[in-house]
Amino acid sequence: MSENKETPERRRERLRQEELKKNPTGNMNDAFNRANSGSLVDLVGSLGWKGTGILILVIIIGFIVASFFFK
């Protein structure tokens, strides 16, 4: 008898992931606002892999530009 009962934590995470898939641009705004009171894990988790990649590229480009201007 295997019961497929979903724990509240798993249900919350599943609903959050479904919402992220439905509204990616609104969630990006939420992610940046959440970063003020949350952690980096919350920011990256809500951005998804594409948003995280863009964020990493922006940081790398920022370092390159800063090192070019402030030698």
Side-chain angles (χ1 to χ4, degrees):
M1 286 180 36
S2 66
E3 295 182 25
N4 291 330
K5 290 191 175 183
E6 195 172 35
T7 64
E9 293 84 13
R10 288 186 185 244
R11 184 170 191 267
R12 263 183 260 129
E13 183 63 25
R14 180 179 54 81
L15 291 172
R16 189 173 77 82
Q17 292 298 324
E18 288 175 5
E19 180 64 28
L20 291 174
K21 290 178 185 175
K22 290 178 187 174
N23 188 6
T25 55
N27 286 317
M28 185 176 297
N29 185 28
D30 291 343
F32 286 118
N33 290 335
R34 189 178 303 137
N36 292 332
S37 61
S39 66
L40 185 60
V41 175
D42 293 332
L43 173 65
V44 171
S46 58
L47 283 176
W49 69 271
K50 291 177 188 175
T52 304
I54 291 170
L55 182 64
I56 291 170
L57 283 175
V58 167
I59 291 171
I60 291 172
I61 291 170
F63 278 125
I64 292 171
V65 169
S67 66
F68 180 72
F69 284 115
F70 301 112
K71 272 190 171 184

